[in-house]
PDB file of all heavy atoms in Angstrom:
ATOM      1  N   LEU D  26      91.001 103.656 113.079  1.00 90.00           N
ATOM      2  CA  LEU D  26      90.994 103.540 111.615  1.00 90.00           C
ATOM      3  C   LEU D  26      90.313 104.718 110.921  1.00 90.00           C
ATOM      4  O   LEU D  26      90.737 105.131 109.834  1.00 90.00           O
ATOM      5  CB  LEU D  26      90.288 102.248 111.202  1.00 90.00           C
ATOM      6  CG  LEU D  26      90.877 100.941 111.730  1.00 90.00           C
ATOM      7  CD1 LEU D  26      90.089  99.757 111.174  1.00 90.00           C
ATOM      8  CD2 LEU D  26      92.349 100.821 111.379  1.00 90.00           C
ATOM      9  N   SER D  34      90.233 109.957 102.231  1.00 89.00           N
ATOM     10  CA  SER D  34      89.064 110.423 101.485  1.00 89.00           C
ATOM     11  C   SER D  34      89.213 111.879 101.077  1.00 89.00           C
ATOM     12  O   SER D  34      88.813 112.272  99.976  1.00 89.00           O
ATOM     13  CB  SER D  34      87.794 110.241 102.328  1.00 89.00           C
ATOM     14  OG  SER D  34      87.540 108.873 102.573  1.00 89.00           O
ATOM     15  N   VAL D  42      89.828 117.188  91.243  1.00 76.00           N
ATOM     16  CA  VAL D  42      90.272 118.371  90.508  1.00 76.00           C
ATOM     17  C   VAL D  42      91.699 118.191  89.993  1.00 76.00           C
ATOM     18  O   VAL D  42      92.005 118.477  88.831  1.00 76.00           O
ATOM     19  CB  VAL D  42      90.194 119.626  91.402  1.00 76.00           C
ATOM     20  CG1 VAL D  42      90.765 120.847  90.684  1.00 76.00           C
ATOM     21  CG2 VAL D  42      88.756 119.877  91.821  1.00 76.00           C
ATOM     22  N   ARG D  99      98.876 102.749  95.722  1.00 94.00           N
ATOM     23  CA  ARG D  99      98.428 104.084  95.327  1.00 94.00           C
ATOM     24  C   ARG D  99      99.454 105.144  95.722  1.00 94.00           C
ATOM     25  O   ARG D  99      99.762 106.040  94.936  1.00 94.00           O
ATOM     26  CB  ARG D  99      97.077 104.400  95.975  1.00 94.00           C
ATOM     27  CG  ARG D  99      95.926 103.651  95.355  1.00 94.00           C
ATOM     28  CD  ARG D  99      94.632 104.412  95.504  1.00 94.00           C
ATOM     29  NE  ARG D  99      93.745 104.073  94.403  1.00 94.00           N
ATOM     30  CZ  ARG D  99      92.740 104.820  93.982  1.00 94.00           C
ATOM     31  NH1 ARG D  99      92.516 105.979  94.556  1.00 94.00           N
ATOM     32  NH2 ARG D  99      91.981 104.437  92.984  1.00 94.00           N
ATOM     33  N   GLU D 148      75.687  92.804 113.144  1.00 77.00           N
ATOM     34  CA  GLU D 148      74.909  93.091 111.932  1.00 77.00           C
ATOM     35  C   GLU D 148      74.008  94.305 112.093  1.00 77.00           C
ATOM     36  O   GLU D 148      73.811  95.073 111.158  1.00 77.00           O
ATOM     37  CB  GLU D 148      74.060  91.859 111.571  1.00 77.00           C
ATOM     38  CG  GLU D 148      73.299  92.021 110.270  1.00 77.00           C
ATOM     39  CD  GLU D 148      72.539  90.768 109.889  1.00 77.00           C
ATOM     40  OE1 GLU D 148      73.161  89.692 109.804  1.00 77.00           O
ATOM     41  OE2 GLU D 148      71.306  90.862 109.695  1.00 77.00           O
ATOM     42  N   PRO D 210      93.239  84.692 107.287  1.00 45.00           N
ATOM     43  CA  PRO D 210      93.011  84.606 105.857  1.00 45.00           C
ATOM     44  C   PRO D 210      91.922  83.595 105.530  1.00 45.00           C
ATOM     45  O   PRO D 210      91.642  82.684 106.291  1.00 45.00           O
ATOM     46  CB  PRO D 210      94.380  84.147 105.301  1.00 45.00           C
ATOM     47  CG  PRO D 210      95.373  84.473 106.377  1.00 45.00           C
ATOM     48  CD  PRO D 210      94.632  84.358 107.661  1.00 45.00           C
ATOM     49  N   PHE D 241      71.485 101.998  87.212  1.00 93.00           N
ATOM     50  CA  PHE D 241      71.310 103.297  87.869  1.00 93.00           C
ATOM     51  C   PHE D 241      72.523 104.195  87.624  1.00 93.00           C
ATOM     52  O   PHE D 241      72.398 105.343  87.147  1.00 93.00           O
ATOM     53  CB  PHE D 241      71.085 103.045  89.361  1.00 93.00           C
ATOM     54  CG  PHE D 241      70.952 104.278  90.219  1.00 93.00           C
ATOM     55  CD1 PHE D 241      70.553 105.491  89.695  1.00 93.00           C
ATOM     56  CD2 PHE D 241      71.224 104.203  91.585  1.00 93.00           C
ATOM     57  CE1 PHE D 241      70.421 106.620  90.505  1.00 93.00           C
ATOM     58  CE2 PHE D 241      71.102 105.317  92.395  1.00 93.00           C
ATOM     59  CZ  PHE D 241      70.704 106.528  91.855  1.00 93.00           C
ATOM     60  N   PHE D 242      73.702 103.689  87.914  1.00 89.00           N
ATOM     61  CA  PHE D 242      74.908 104.499  87.757  1.00 89.00           C
ATOM     62  C   PHE D 242      75.200 104.795  86.284  1.00 89.00           C
ATOM     63  O   PHE D 242      75.701 105.862  85.943  1.00 89.00           O
ATOM     64  CB  PHE D 242      76.097 103.798  88.406  1.00 89.00           C
ATOM     65  CG  PHE D 242      75.936 103.555  89.886  1.00 89.00           C
ATOM     66  CD1 PHE D 242      76.606 102.519  90.513  1.00 89.00           C
ATOM     67  CD2 PHE D 242      75.093 104.347  90.652  1.00 89.00           C
ATOM     68  CE1 PHE D 242      76.453 102.284  91.870  1.00 89.00           C
ATOM     69  CE2 PHE D 242      74.928 104.120  92.007  1.00 89.00           C
ATOM     70  CZ  PHE D 242      75.612 103.086  92.620  1.00 89.00           C
ATOM     71  N   PHE D 274      75.038 119.023  95.524  1.00 86.00           N
ATOM     72  CA  PHE D 274      74.943 117.558  95.583  1.00 86.00           C
ATOM     73  C   PHE D 274      75.762 117.027  96.761  1.00 86.00           C
ATOM     74  O   PHE D 274      75.304 116.154  97.511  1.00 86.00           O
ATOM     75  CB  PHE D 274      75.456 116.961  94.270  1.00 86.00           C
ATOM     76  CG  PHE D 274      75.185 115.495  94.117  1.00 86.00           C
ATOM     77  CD1 PHE D 274      74.062 115.047  93.445  1.00 86.00           C
ATOM     78  CD2 PHE D 274      76.055 114.546  94.640  1.00 86.00           C
ATOM     79  CE1 PHE D 274      73.802 113.689  93.295  1.00 86.00           C
ATOM     80  CE2 PHE D 274      75.809 113.188  94.495  1.00 86.00           C
ATOM     81  CZ  PHE D 274      74.673 112.756  93.824  1.00 86.00           C
ATOM     82  N   TYR D 287      69.550 105.923 110.534  1.00 78.00           N
ATOM     83  CA  TYR D 287      68.227 105.780 111.131  1.00 78.00           C
ATOM     84  C   TYR D 287      67.253 105.021 110.228  1.00 78.00           C
ATOM     85  O   TYR D 287      66.070 104.935 110.532  1.00 78.00           O
ATOM     86  CB  TYR D 287      67.644 107.164 111.441  1.00 78.00           C
ATOM     87  CG  TYR D 287      68.460 107.941 112.450  1.00 78.00           C
ATOM     88  CD1 TYR D 287      69.481 108.797 112.032  1.00 78.00           C
ATOM     89  CD2 TYR D 287      68.235 107.803 113.815  1.00 78.00           C
ATOM     90  CE1 TYR D 287      70.241 109.503 112.957  1.00 78.00           C
ATOM     91  CE2 TYR D 287      68.992 108.504 114.748  1.00 78.00           C
ATOM     92  CZ  TYR D 287      69.999 109.348 114.306  1.00 78.00           C
ATOM     93  OH  TYR D 287      70.750 110.034 115.223  1.00 78.00           O
ATOM     94  N   VAL D 293      64.475  96.655 102.654  1.00 78.00           N
ATOM     95  CA  VAL D 293      65.582  97.079 101.803  1.00 78.00           C
ATOM     96  C   VAL D 293      65.143  97.347 100.366  1.00 78.00           C
ATOM     97  O   VAL D 293      65.400  98.427  99.821  1.00 78.00           O
ATOM     98  CB  VAL D 293      66.708  96.018 101.833  1.00 78.00           C
ATOM     99  CG1 VAL D 293      67.801  96.376 100.832  1.00 78.00           C
ATOM    100  CG2 VAL D 293      67.299  95.926 103.229  1.00 78.00           C
TER     101      VAL D 293
END
Side-chain angles (χ1 to χ4, degrees):
L26 301 182
S34 295
V42 175
R99 287 207 152 202
E148 184 176 305
F241 177 24
F242 299 154
F274 190 95
Y287 298 91
V293 174

